[in-house]
């Protein structure tokens, strides 16, 4: 499905989120130490995912308050909490759960939430969202220096 041009930046971020989940799972499958994977998660969180969540919560979600946006917000909070556990405990189960939740969350937003918002927000509102995102959107960092997934 073609994404509305005003929120396409968020969809592009989702590609990197899916890649993050894949890297975590690949590391776990290959027996990489949970400490190494947790260090990557911390990097990815601080440089990408945290900023992405903030942009969605600031520029997109305030326009619709319903069960769809509440689910997305609840998942954001759940992942914030999981990152704290990952950073402090390096738990392989939490790493796997985080990767799965991140993947499911992105697919939820792309397949359900974003199409709903595109259908229910006016063109003027979508353009406002696009202007706001365009003015402050972060650039994904893909320069992590320990490519354990290769």
């Amino acid at each position: 499905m073609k994404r509305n041009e005003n929120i396409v930046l968020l969809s592009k971020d989702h590609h990197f989120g899916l890649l993050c989940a894949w890297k975590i799972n690949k590391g776990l499958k290959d027996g990489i130490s949970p400490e190494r994977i947790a260090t990557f998660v911390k990097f990815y969180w601080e440089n990408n995912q945290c900023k992405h969540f903030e942009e969605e919560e600031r520029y997109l979600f305030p326009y619709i308050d319903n069960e769809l946006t509440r689910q997305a917000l609840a998942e954001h909070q759940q992942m914030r909490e999981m990152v704290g556990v990952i950073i402090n405990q390096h738990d392989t189960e939490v790493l796997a759960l985080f990767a799965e939740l991140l993947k499911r969350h992105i697919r939820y937003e792309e397949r359900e939430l974003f199409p709903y918002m595109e259908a229910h927000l006016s063109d003027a509102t979508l353009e406002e969202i696009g202007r706001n995102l365009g003015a402050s959107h972060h650039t994904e960092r893909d320069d992590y220096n320990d490519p354990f997934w290769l």
Side-chain angles (χ1 to χ4, degrees), residues 46-57:
E46 290 174 350
N47 292 286
N48 299 311
Q49 196 64 48
C50 179
K51 294 172 182 156
H52 173 80
F53 283 178
E54 289 169 359
E55 288 176 355
E56 287 180 336
E57 293 168 5

Side-chain angles (χ1 to χ4, degrees), residues 6-138:
N6 292 295
I7 58 174
V8 75
L9 290 172
L10 297 173
S11 287
K12 287 181 179 182
D13 290 348
H14 285 163
H15 165 76
F16 289 98
L18 291 173
L19 194 55
C20 172
W22 178 84
K23 290 172 180 178
I24 293 167
N25 285 326
K26 179 81 164 75
L28 292 171
K29 178 180 169 251
D30 291 349
I32 301 300
S33 77
E35 291 81 10
R36 280 177 73 189
I37 300 170
T39 301
F40 165 71
V41 170
K42 182 178 189 290
F43 170 88
Y44 186 78
W45 177 260
E46 290 174 350
N47 292 286
N48 299 311
Q49 196 64 48
C50 179
K51 294 172 182 156
H52 173 80
F53 283 178
E54 289 169 359
E55 288 176 355
E56 287 180 336
E57 293 168 5
R58 182 174 182 188
Y59 300 122
L60 188 62
F61 296 169
Y63 291 98
I64 294 181
D65 179 21
N66 65 14
E67 67 279 352
L68 296 173
T69 52
R70 286 191 290 274
Q71 177 180 332
L73 287 166
E75 290 173 359
H76 284 189
Q77 184 57 37
Q78 185 179 4
M79 283 185 272
R80 283 181 175 104
E81 292 168 6
M82 292 175 89
V83 167
V85 172
I86 289 167
I87 291 169
N88 293 310
Q89 297 179 11
H90 311 143
D91 185 292
T92 56
E93 282 187 38
V94 180
L95 283 163
L97 288 171
F98 177 78
E100 180 59 30
L101 180 57
L102 180 59
K103 186 170 62 173
R104 274 196 338 252
H105 173 74
I106 290 168
R107 291 201 170 123
Y108 166 73
E109 286 188 347
E110 287 294 327
R111 294 174 181 169
E112 295 181 48
L113 180 60
F114 285 10
Y116 178 88
M117 296 189 94
E118 289 169 328
H120 290 87
L121 294 175
S122 69
D123 289 342
T125 299
L126 287 165
E127 288 169 9
E128 180 180 341
I129 291 166
R131 279 191 305 277
N132 290 334
L133 281 172
S136 69
H137 187 70
H138 75 285

